[in-house]
Structure formats: C-alpha cells, structure tokens
Amino acid sequence: MARDAEGGSGTRGTPQKYDPTFKGPIYDRGCTDVVCCVLLVLAIVGYVIVGVVAWTHGDPRKVIYPTDSRGQFCGQQGTPNENKPFLFYFDIVKCASPLVLLEFQCPTTQICVSRCPDRYLTYLGAYSAGSPGDLEYYRQFCVPGFRNLRKSPIEVLKDKECPAMLIPSTPLARRCFPAVHAKKGVIMVGNETTYDDGHGRRRNVTELLEGAKKANVVLEARQLAMKIFEDYTVSWYWIIIGLVIAMVVSFIFIVLLRYLAGIMVWVMIVMVILVLGYGIFHCYMEYAKLKGEAGSDISLKDLGFQTDLRVYLHLRQTWLAFMIILCIVEVVIVLLLIFLRKRILIAIALIKEASRAVGHIMMSLLFPLCTFFLLCLCIAYWASTAVFLSTSNEAIYKVFNETACQFSGRTCEPETFNMSNVTKACPDAQCLFAFYGGETAYHKYLIVFQFYNVFMFFWLANFVIALGQVTLAGAFASYYWAFKKPDDMPAFPLFSSFGRALRYHTGSLAFGSLLLAIVQVIRVTLEYLDHRLKAADNKFAKFLLGCLKCCFWCLEKFIKFLNRNAYIMIAVYGTNFCTSARNAFFLLMRNIIRVAVLDKVTDFLFFLGKLLIVGSVGILAFFFFTHRIKLVQDTAPPLNYYWVPILTVIVGSYLIAHGFFSVYGMCVDTLFLCFLEDLERNDGSTEKPYFMSPNLKKLLKKTNKGQTDA
C-alpha cells in the first residue's frame, strides 16, 4: 500500500511492508495552505469589524417604519410619533408624478397620524361650516404644531399646514391609501366617481387610483398572506408528520440500494432498449401505412421548410429518417452495454458499498443539519450587516416643487428653509425628506463595505460547504481504508474527520472556497451589469456580456467539480489544495470512462429516488388534505387553500431527500476515488494489499496474497 511519508509531510512515500495495525493513508498529515488560513482569519476579523461599524451607524427602523417629510419615524416608541403609526399624504395624486421614480419620494407633505381619514371633507368646507367638531377632526391631519383654527383657509393651504381635502382611506403597509373600489366596473370613492380637491375643482377618482395604484394589490396580498398563515397554524402538525415520513422513506430507499441497486439499474437499461425498440417499430408501421398515399413520396428537400411541422408527418421520408436515427441510437446503446458491462457492474458495486458505508456511519445522515445551521448563520450575518449598512446614512432633505424652479433638487435644511431665498424665488417649493445619505468618509466607502459583505458571504458559505464535504469524505474514507470493515474503523469517524479538517486543512478549504467565491462575485457583477444594460441599444456590449456570463458559468461549474474531488483527496492524503486538485483531476482523467458510467448511473438512481420520495409523500399529502382518505376524513384540518400544506410538504420532502442523497453522493464519490487509488497503488501483494471490499475484488478478479478477506 502506498501511503503518506512518515511525519505527515503530505507526500506519498516509499511502499513499505503491510502492517496489520495500519489504518490507511488518512491519518498521517500536517497543516496545509497555512497562508490561506491566515488570510481567512484576517478576513473574518475584518468582516466582524465591518459588522460592528455597520451596527453602530445603522438603524433598521428606517426599513420597518415609514418616514414623514422631516425624516421622523411613524410609530416609533419613545418619540412624539409613538401613537401615530400611519403615514398620511397631503395630496396622494402627486405620487403619480415621474419625480417619484427619480427621487423615491412623493412631492407632497407627509405626516404621521394615529388613524387614517374615514370621511370625505375639504378644509374650505369645514371652515365655512364653522363646525368646531369638523375643524378639530381636520386638525389631526395637519402638520404638528398647527393650532390656529381661525387662520384664513387660503393662508393655511398656501403654507401647506393642512391638506386641501380628506378622503376615506385604509391603512396599507402603514400608509393611508384612498379606499378605492369598483362598482359595476366604475371606480368610486364612497358613492362618488368625482371629488372636490379642496381648491374648488372637481377631479376624477381615477386620478386617485393612479396615485395609489398598488393599493389593491397590497391589500389582496395581505389578505392572502393572512389566509396562508391561518392554514399553517391549523396544519403545521400534519406537515411535520409528512416531513418525518419523507425522512423515513429516504432512509429506507438508501438502505434498499444495497440490495436493489443492480436490479434498478438493469431494469432501467432494459426499459430504455424496449422503448427505443418500440419507437423503431412505430416508425416502420407509419412508414408502411403511408405507402401509396398521394403526396407521401415527396422528399424533404423538395418540400422545403414549413412552419406547420405536422406536414412532415405525412411524408414517408420523415418516418424513414426517424427509424434510421432510432436504429443508430439502439445499436450504439447495445454496443456500449457490451463493452461497458464490466464498468456498469463496478458502478453498481460501488453504489452498494456506499450504502454499507452509510449504514456503518449513520450520523453522516444528520451531518447536513450542521452544515445547514452554519449556512443559516452566514446568511443571517450577511443579511443583518447589509441592512445595517444600507440604513447607516443620514437624513437628506431636498427642494421639491410643482412648477419650474432653479433650486429644484438641491439639498436644504428644514429649520432654516422658510427664511432662505428659495421660498422667495419659488413660493410653492418645499424642503422635504428625500433619502438617507451622507458626505463623511464612512458614507463614501459604504459601497465598498457592501461589496466586501457580499464577497465574504460567498467565501464563508463556500467554506462551510467545503468543510461539510471534507468531513464526510474523511469519514467515508476511513471506512474504505479499514482493512477489516468495520472493525478497523475509528470509534467516531465523523467527529474524527471533522477535527482533522479544522486542525490541519482550514487553509486548503479557505483556498478552494476563495477561488469559487471570486468567480461567483464576478458572476453577480455581470448579472448586475446585464440588468443595467437591458435598456441600452448596444448590441455588441450585450453580446460580449452574454459570452462572459456563459464562460464564468462554465468556470464555476468546473471549479465546483474540481473542488469536490480535491477535498476528497485532502481528506484521504492530507495534501495541500493544489496538489490534491491536480492528483484528483489526472486520476479521474485516467479513468474517464468509469467516471462517466458511475456519474450517469448514480444520477439515475438519485433522480428515481427523489421522484419516488417526493411523489409518494406529495400524493399522500394531497389525498389527506383534500379529505379523500375516508379513514381520516374527520382528522384532516379545514383549510382556506389546501395547496399550502401540500406544497410545503412537497418542497420539504425534496429538501430532505436532497440532503440524504447529497450525503450518499459524497459517499459514492469518495469510495470511487479511493477505489481508483487502491487499484493504481496496490497490487494485492503482502506489501501492498487491496483495501477494497470482497465484492469489488471478486468482480475485478483481484485477491490479496497471504491475506484473508474480511
């Protein structure tokens, strides 16, 4: 057996005489890619610093609470607006202005109110009626501090202290929108199709609808969300039962692969041959049936291109071409089966062996939960840091006006705005809150911090996935390199592998995940540029961008494939990332046919397994939640939408099956690489015995001289 050099240098040493106490090549190792490990630690420290700075300056309330014209939060506890959770627009019609798309702010005064208006009223009407009750009701929708109810209405409206009108409104997303509804296809507010805008003009209700055109969509979405939430509250128990069933079925399927893998693969192959044979037969029958029919002997060349493809089905030449193509495919498949039958048998044997390995390391089926938990931590830290960074700006106020003004769009200060020259040059101008920004060095580098946040998210997420792959690979490699299975395996192979990965190979995992993170960040940048160029007419730039996206997509797939196999070699031999990647790549290239056969066979089994698990659990959930199972008709809960728990069970079943099969797939890949290494480096002699299972040795007609197979 060829093994690492003594002392853990990570290189393969001179073959030595077999030692029965030797437990394989996975234990002799040293630290690898230390520089990358140091870089990862420094990057994480920098990431923590960025997070702390963002949490110090950021304010997530800017996302949670609506903001009035002075940048104050509505409904925030401990402020004057604590009991005013809703945002009220003085003139929501102005929200239909194109300025909203440019500045993300309606050019009208906005204040926080305790409730939305529930009646139609104009300020002129309330003042003229002289009713103290109407004026007092109206005052709660005026700017804070307005007390002079005797002030002339013209002056009040000119100073924009009160809205010109109140319209019955409903709170949506903490904002007051007109209660617009349709009656017999006519849009109305209350029972009116027009309204007085408070300045003596009658206006159509459709103008209100344009200003709040998203209101009905938001309302319907909120109602839908509430019904879905109700369905979850009454069906969560049964959803969990469905997911447990999916977990049990996934486990049973993996166990049965030990006994049924060969049968399933050969049944699939026979079915493909039979389907192709039926296709050939059907093409021949159609070809014979068209004999003698008018126009059926026209050649494809003479007919030319036709938009109605059904025309070609009336030609004998079409069916003849189909039959020839299917015959060629059939012959190719039969020849491949003849020449690759031994490799297919090896693939089946490895799949069965993987089932045995998983059976001996049952904790491996639960390990994806650990990876999932760490990924959730990465996502949570990234998302919270992104929110704090995006909300760490200061309130910026700008000049808004309805008519042309030279000061429009300039920054301003609300405290001194009324005494500035702007109000003299533009009487209708207002100093309103526009957005959050800043001019300090911190604010100038916010985009850099956001980019660093995204980059570190990809790096850490890929590192977590790599750690999971190396841990599983090390555990399953300890099974393969145990000369007497499972007696020579360590007591806790999964935990031992996890400890080795962190102690010796953090740098190698950081290196591989760094390469992948760089490519993924480039891909995200290209997607962003593509989104920005959608409105452009530069076809060459779009073509170049499309080519770059395609190239980096292929590069990402290749790096993922290379990393996965490099991590297996790291887990087995303890070499650094570059050496492991090179050795894994050339090892696979020397056995490319075996790789292709094993890949397709396992892909088919995984597809069949996922289809079986998701389909069976999904059908069971459908019959249960639609009350079609008589035995449990009264047990199933009443639902608003029965598809809510059904889709949840289906998606959850797929994720569970994917988690189980990801472990199984890693086991197959690890055993396959170990098997190839075993074949190339050992010859069955006393000095270099085979570590493969007795079934594989029997299949390959290999034996260990002077050794009794376990």
Side-chain angles (χ1 to χ4, degrees), residues 32-34 36-37 40 458-471 473 497-517 563-564 566-568 570-571 575-578:
T32 56
D33 297 306
V34 179
C36 291
C37 179
L40 177 64
F458 281 119
W459 194 0
L460 292 179
N462 288 319
F463 178 83
V464 168
I465 294 172
L467 179 61
Q469 291 177 339
V470 168
T471 300
S497 178
F498 184 77
R500 287 195 304 272
L502 285 179
R503 180 181 177 183
Y504 297 111
H505 307 303
T506 300
S508 297
L509 302 184
F511 190 8
S513 54
L514 174 63
L515 295 178
L516 189 56
N563 281 5
R564 182 182 178 90
Y567 295 149
I568 295 174
I570 290 172
T575 50
N576 60 49
F577 178 81
C578 292

Side-chain angles (χ1 to χ4, degrees), residues 296-598:
S296 63
D297 292 327
I298 299 176
S299 66
L300 294 172
K301 183 178 180 181
D302 294 337
L303 181 63
F305 177 74
Q306 300 292 326
T307 55
D308 188 359
L309 300 179
R310 292 175 296 180
V311 174
Y312 296 104
L313 299 180
H314 297 282
L315 301 180
R316 299 186 72 203
Q317 198 174 84
T318 301
W319 292 105
L320 179 63
F322 285 160
M323 185 169 61
I324 293 173
I325 293 172
L326 290 178
C327 285
I328 294 174
V329 174
E330 182 91 338
V331 170
V332 169
I333 290 178
V334 172
L335 290 176
L336 287 175
L337 288 175
I338 293 173
F339 291 104
L340 300 179
R341 65 188 185 280
K342 191 171 183 179
R343 289 180 172 85
I344 294 174
L345 292 174
I346 293 173
I348 294 173
L350 281 170
I351 291 170
K352 292 180 178 179
E353 194 66 20
S355 184
R356 294 189 186 94
V358 172
H360 289 300
I361 312 175
M362 295 295 295
M363 286 297 296
S364 62
L365 295 175
L366 300 178
F367 188 75
L369 295 177
C370 177
T371 303
F372 177 74
F373 174 73
L374 293 176
L375 283 176
C376 287
L377 288 182
C378 293
I379 294 172
Y381 188 88
W382 163 76
S384 60
T385 303
V387 170
F388 275 91
L389 284 174
S390 61
T391 58
S392 58
N393 291 309
E394 300 171 349
I396 300 298
Y397 299 88
K398 287 192 174 184
V399 176
F400 290 90
N401 59 287
E402 300 180 32
T403 60
C405 178
Q406 59 178 336
F407 299 102
S408 178
R410 295 188 182 181
T411 57
C412 58
E413 292 294 335
E415 293 79 8
T416 60
F417 181 73
N418 291 331
M419 297 179 290
S420 65
N421 295 328
V422 179
T423 54
K424 298 178 181 178
C426 307
D428 63 337
Q430 301 179 77
C431 183
L432 301 179
F433 167 76
F435 57 86
Y436 288 98
E439 300 296 331
T440 65
Y442 168 76
H443 295 106
K444 290 180 180 179
Y445 287 101
L446 269 180
I447 186 66
V448 177
F449 294 152
Q450 286 283 22
F451 181 83
Y452 185 72
N453 184 33
V454 172
F455 172 74
M456 285 302 300
F457 166 71
F458 281 119
W459 194 0
L460 292 179
N462 288 319
F463 178 83
V464 168
I465 294 172
L467 179 61
Q469 291 177 339
V470 168
T471 300
L472 291 174
F476 294 129
S478 68
Y479 168 83
Y480 186 93
W481 296 114
F483 192 72
K484 294 182 180 180
K485 302 175 177 57
D487 297 338
D488 291 344
M489 291 176 59
F492 302 101
L494 197 66
F495 295 110
S496 300
S497 178
F498 184 77
R500 287 195 304 272
L502 285 179
R503 180 181 177 183
Y504 297 111
H505 307 303
T506 300
S508 297
L509 302 184
F511 190 8
S513 54
L514 174 63
L515 295 178
L516 189 56
I518 292 173
V519 174
Q520 289 173 335
V521 168
I522 294 175
R523 286 197 63 204
V524 170
T525 305
L526 291 175
E527 290 292 342
Y528 172 75
L529 293 176
D530 184 44
H531 179 73
R532 294 295 298 269
L533 288 174
K534 278 185 177 179
D537 296 328
N538 193 331
K539 294 183 178 180
F540 175 75
K542 290 183 177 180
F543 171 77
L544 182 61
L545 198 59
C547 293
L548 289 174
K549 287 169 60 179
C550 179
C551 291
F552 278 97
W553 179 85
C554 295
L555 181 60
E556 181 183 358
K557 294 296 180 183
F558 174 75
I559 291 179
K560 283 183 176 180
F561 169 79
L562 191 63
N563 281 5
R564 182 182 178 90
N565 292 283
Y567 295 149
I568 295 174
M569 298 300 281
I570 290 172
V572 173
Y573 284 106
T575 50
N576 60 49
F577 178 81
C578 292
T579 302
S580 300
R582 183 184 69 246
N583 292 339
F585 179 77
F586 286 113
L587 179 63
L588 294 174
M589 290 302 101
R590 290 194 297 270
N591 299 271
I592 188 65
I593 302 298
R594 285 174 174 166
V595 173
V597 172
L598 180 69

